[in-house]
Amino acid sequence: MSSVPSEPAVNLPPHALPLLAADRGTRVVKGACPHDCPDTCALRITVEDGKVVKVQGQPEHPSTHGALCTKVSRYPERTYHEERVLHPLKRVSAKHEPPRFERIGWDQAIAEIAGRLKAVAARDPQAILPYSYAGTMGMLQGEAMAGRFFNRLGASCLDRTICASAGGAGLAATYGHKVGMHLPHFAESRLIVIWGSNSIASNLHFWTFANQAKRAGAKLVCIDPRKTETADKCHQHLALLPGTDGALALGLMHELIANDWLDHDYLFRHVDGWDELRDRALAWTPERTAAECGLTADEVRGLARDYGTMAPAAIRLNYGMQRVRGGGNAVRLIALLPCLTGAWRHRAGGLLLSSSGWFAPFKNPALERPDLRAGRPSRTINMSTIGDDLLREASPAFGPKVEALIVYNSNPVAVAPESPKVVAGFQREDLLTVVLEHFMTDTADLADYVLPATTQMEHLDIHTSYGHTDVLLNEPAIAPVGEARPNTRIFRDLAAAMGFDEAAFHEDDEALLRQAFRDDVDLVQLRERGWFKLPLAEAPFAEGGFPSATGKADARGADYVPNYESRTSDPALAARYPLAMISPPARHHLNSTFVNVKSLRDIEGEQVLEMSAGDAAARGLADGQLVRVFNDRGSYACRLDVSARAREGVVHGLGIWWRKLGADGRNVNEVTHQRLTDLGRAPCFYDCLVEVSAG
């Protein structure tokens, strides 16, 4: 663990600090959940004498309806955590040694960082790289001021692909943008296919509407390699092999065609490339589909019959299934299913993967001020290949060596694939690494400077969603704890120290808030009740009108793409590493967030691997023993959970734990690879073969 000199006079807990008159008493503040989750809940934050004492869901918000997940309801515990970083820190140990830091002042930290960035920029500003993702989904504390800073600097651009870009590219290729059904209408569906989503754990408010439909007589089907908590509550669970979702979609199409469960008029008027897709689907008989997916032919036929004859039928697709080589094409094929049956004619029919594209026409594209780049060239580096890219030397193809890295809203040492290479890159003594953080994460442990950032309770922000269509406001509920500063202020301070004097860097957060959206979004209403609902049609594609160039859904070129690593695509590799591994999040973690919240970590216990009883017996392994999960890329140790949640041939490395909290200081990304998906340049976390032995 990191060590810093203790200074009791400054490290007083927040409730021990002097109260201003305005802080006294009780008040309720409107907020928004900042985390990478489709629900984007509206929060009701109760503050007593300047301290947050309770976080609840807003009962008036239509999709939150007063309920929060276990994780976010513990947000005060996270905000006031005893391990919170409260002041700027500077590294005093070598990067291959246990991390040691000393406290420094903000002025010194900003001056030293700016001085080193100036030296790098004088050689080539593209040697400087931002690294960020969805530690906050807020538009202000995400990229508003950060984007301005890196554009003005002329730094390299980051291709932010680590979670959803394969699925996003698949939707965009098919519909024209990331759009879909409206969340509340699932309550009216007669069939709901929950595909690649453990909704009870990761999309709780969708599950509320699905449960309403279930009580009204709807059938719920879960498609997932893992028998999740959601599968437990559905009428049927299809445990297909990882990465075979596209094959299953084609097999369903075969049966829809063979039985004429088609809306010919919808296909004729609103789909391009139907004839090509039809010919491709007819090759995927139920028997061929079942063999590829690890299902039975009757399971394929039965699901096709339900989907073709029960209306309105809705699909809730989520991002787990697209984290494989063919993830983009799999999303394309599944997204075409409601076009075959005309399910889009009903407001309770169709598909939802992401609603984020609905916000695009309302957003201000100039918020991050791309004009500040002033036409200078800039390369783009993929965040999913950061392990390789930090180890590259300068070359004409790659450009300059990465000399400086500024990390915010992310923990790449824990979450990026093939972590042995990621760690090696971050351990470079010649790499300047600045991390904006709440805690000493695995990434912060390898930083040169750690700057304390505010949590959602302590700053202003505005949020969109990828699971509903409301804009949400987050008001600051308390003053920043310790010396924490909002991301926006930190990047303003860096800009000033770099000598950037453009007006864009003098605009405060209120000004950024006013610039985030076009006038269609009523900021007065947003401030009064905490959210604003976008004005959208209830059945958006009942008569086509997709946001594509032609207004039609596009089926051209969509096809099944098998995994890089599977028994069929690479038999030799599968002979050595016969277990397919997926790494879904542990129920009480959100990626690597909340891992250090003690009450939640106590529930999870420790890093585990779920394995079927048959696979465990074949290896002489027993429930509860320490095991080693390995392949050619690396290995990590964890506790074995012999579980009915795992089908034979597939194991589940539940994540994402901080490496330093693992049994051997490693986590599941020790064995994942950096190869990218067919569309969207995304990582293939669930396209991974391993073997397991006694630890």
Side-chain angles (χ1 to χ4, degrees):
M1 296 290 288
S2 306
S3 62
V4 296
S6 60
E7 307 218 9
V10 179
N11 279 297
L12 287 171
H15 62 269
L17 298 178
L19 289 176
L20 300 175
D23 292 328
R24 298 186 185 278
T26 301
R27 57 197 176 90
V28 176
V29 180
K30 300 180 184 71
C33 176
H35 293 294
D36 188 1
C37 166
D39 292 24
T40 316
C41 294
L43 304 181
R44 176 184 171 90
I45 305 162
T46 302
V47 180
E48 291 183 1
D49 295 338
K51 183 176 180 180
V52 174
V53 295
K54 187 185 297 183
V55 177
Q56 301 165 286
Q58 277 281 5
E60 299 86 2
H61 184 236
S63 63
T64 303
H65 44 70
L68 292 181
C69 67
T70 306
K71 299 180 282 288
V72 177
S73 64
R74 311 286 178 94
Y75 209 88
E77 183 180 349
R78 188 173 187 276
T79 297
Y80 298 120
H81 199 292
E82 64 181 3
E83 295 175 358
R84 180 92 184 265
V85 176
L86 297 179
H87 9 260
L89 303 173
K90 180 179 180 179
R91 184 177 208 90
V92 294
S93 61
K95 291 184 181 177
H96 64 277
E97 296 175 345
R100 288 181 293 111
F101 292 82
E102 65 180 11
R103 177 181 171 182
I104 61 173
W106 268 107
D107 289 347
Q108 179 185 349
I110 293 295
E112 289 184 7
I113 293 166
R116 294 184 67 177
L117 289 177
K118 285 180 181 178
V120 175
R123 294 188 290 275
D124 190 331
Q126 293 183 100
I128 301 169
L129 177 68
Y131 195 104
S132 67
Y133 199 66
T136 175
M137 298 288 282
M139 295 176 66
L140 306 191
Q141 307 306 331
E143 303 302 330
M145 191 58 66
R148 296 179 181 199
F149 176 78
F150 291 111
N151 281 326
R152 172 62 178 81
L153 185 60
S156 287
C157 296
L158 185 72
D159 197 4
R160 293 179 170 87
T161 63
I162 203 162
C163 179
S165 65
L171 274 189
T174 309
Y175 296 160
H177 218 310
K178 292 183 283 186
V179 291
M181 290 176 60
H182 301 314
L183 181 66
H185 298 162
F186 279 92
E188 304 166 15
S189 304
R190 303 304 298 160
L191 173 70
I192 301 177
V193 180
I194 302 172
W195 201 321
S197 176
N198 186 8
S199 305
I200 289 176
S202 61
N203 193 187
L204 179 63
H205 295 85
F206 157 74
W207 180 251
T208 301
F209 294 111
N211 226 9
Q212 288 180 30
K214 183 182 179 184
R215 288 195 296 269
K219 181 174 182 179
L220 273 57
V221 179
C222 179
I223 302 175
D224 198 303
R226 181 174 183 255
K227 192 175 189 295
T228 62
E229 296 87 346
T230 303
D232 291 341
K233 301 294 185 181
C234 290
H235 296 96
Q236 184 181 15
H237 172 223
L238 300 182
L240 79 176
L241 292 168
T244 61
D245 306 81
L248 179 55
L250 284 166
L252 297 178
M253 291 180 188
H254 178 284
E255 290 299 282
L256 295 175
I257 296 165
N259 292 281
D260 200 24
W261 294 322
L262 302 173
D263 186 327
H264 295 279
D265 176 67
Y266 198 93
L267 285 165
F268 176 75
R269 294 196 295 130
H270 305 308
V271 179
D272 279 332
W274 163 236
D275 289 342
E276 174 191 334
L277 179 63
R278 182 181 184 278
D279 291 343
R280 186 168 290 131
L282 285 174
W284 283 87
T285 64
E287 290 73 20
R288 179 187 178 190
T289 303
E292 184 69 15
C293 298
L295 301 172
T296 68
D298 283 345
E299 285 176 318
V300 177
R301 292 189 186 96
L303 179 58
R305 182 182 304 108
D306 287 345
Y307 190 74
T309 61
M310 299 176 72
I315 299 172
R316 180 57 172 108
L317 193 60
N318 215 337
Y319 283 113
M321 50 71 58
Q322 49 94 70
R323 297 188 178 118
V324 294
R325 178 191 180 193
N329 264 283
V331 168
R332 292 203 67 197
L333 292 165
I334 297 166
L336 287 162
L337 287 169
C339 299
L340 268 67
T341 62
W344 282 117
R345 295 190 187 276
H346 309 271
R347 74 175 193 170
L351 174 141
L352 177 61
L353 170 61
S354 174
S355 60
S356 62
W358 290 120
F359 296 92
F362 299 89
K363 286 183 176 181
N364 174 11
L367 180 64
E368 297 172 25
R369 296 294 302 272
D371 59 296
L372 292 171
R373 196 164 287 271
R376 288 172 291 176
S378 181
R379 66 169 172 192
T380 297
I381 291 178
N382 192 322
M383 69 186 307
S384 299
T385 58
I386 190 67
D388 280 341
D389 291 334
L390 287 181
L391 299 175
R392 295 186 199 278
E393 297 296 329
S395 70
F398 180 64
K401 183 176 182 177
V402 177
E403 296 184 50
L405 189 65
I406 301 181
V407 181
Y408 53 105
N409 303 333
S410 189
N411 182 13
V413 174
V415 305
E418 202 169 354
S419 52
K421 290 184 177 180
V422 181
V423 171
F426 271 82
Q427 285 180 328
R428 282 174 40 204
E429 293 293 348
D430 65 332
L431 176 70
L432 168 65
T433 303
V434 180
V435 176
L436 284 58
E437 252 300 350
H438 305 139
F439 301 103
M440 294 303 296
T441 63
D442 293 328
T443 304
D445 279 348
L446 290 172
D448 294 285
Y449 296 88
V450 181
L451 304 180
T454 48
T455 68
Q456 191 75 344
M457 306 290 101
E458 303 158 83
H459 56 229
L460 179 69
D461 218 331
I462 189 168
H463 291 256
T464 60
S465 174
Y466 63 95
H468 59 70
T469 53
D470 298 343
V471 179
L472 273 67
L473 180 69
N474 184 80
E475 300 276 16
I478 57 172
V481 175
E483 297 182 54
R485 293 182 179 180
N487 288 354
T488 45
R489 180 177 175 185
I490 294 172
F491 282 108
R492 283 191 201 95
D493 293 344
L494 283 172
M498 296 288 290
F500 301 162
D501 58 2
E502 290 85 353
F505 298 106
H506 298 285
E507 293 174 338
D508 63 16
D509 286 6
E510 287 286 347
L512 295 177
L513 177 69
R514 292 191 295 271
Q515 295 171 35
F517 288 90
R518 301 181 189 276
D519 293 340
D520 310 77
V521 173
D522 187 339
L523 294 181
V524 173
Q525 184 185 115
L526 182 65
R527 206 125 221 180
E528 286 176 352
R529 67 178 186 180
W531 71 89
F532 175 83
K533 183 177 179 60
L534 297 184
L536 300 168
E538 291 200 340
F541 310 125
E543 293 299 328
F546 294 94
S548 62
T550 63
K552 297 181 178 183
D554 192 347
R556 293 171 296 182
D559 200 0
Y560 171 56
V561 179
N563 279 4
Y564 288 110
E565 300 188 358
S566 74
R567 64 187 185 190
T568 53
S569 60
D570 195 337
L573 184 67
R576 291 190 294 133
Y577 303 115
L579 296 169
M581 189 189 74
I582 61 173
S583 46
R587 182 168 182 175
H588 296 94
H589 299 168
L590 202 162
N591 299 321
S592 74
T593 305
F594 295 105
V595 178
N596 66 322
V597 174
K598 185 178 185 303
S599 64
L600 297 173
R601 194 164 78 242
D602 286 348
I603 297 171
E604 289 297 335
E606 60 185 316
Q607 194 167 210
V608 301
L609 182 82
E610 292 177 341
M611 176 184 279
S612 73
D615 285 333
R619 291 162 177 78
L621 303 175
D623 183 55
Q625 79 176 95
L626 197 68
V627 296
R628 175 174 169 258
V629 185
F630 63 97
N631 58 22
D632 290 340
R633 292 178 288 273
S635 70
Y636 76 104
C638 61
R639 196 67 59 186
L640 182 65
D641 179 8
V642 178
S643 172
R645 297 203 180 280
R647 61 165 291 163
E648 291 205 7
V650 181
V651 293
H652 316 139
L654 303 185
I656 301 173
W657 286 75
W658 291 5
R659 289 168 54 85
K660 62 185 173 185
L661 296 178
D664 60 352
R666 302 171 188 167
N667 71 10
V668 68
N669 279 319
E670 203 78 10
V671 296
T672 55
H673 59 75
Q674 295 179 76
R675 286 175 287 189
L676 302 178
T677 54
D678 54 346
L679 304 175
R681 308 165 307 284
C684 300
F685 289 114
Y686 297 1
D687 184 343
C688 178
L689 290 178
V690 300
E691 182 55 287
V692 181
S693 66

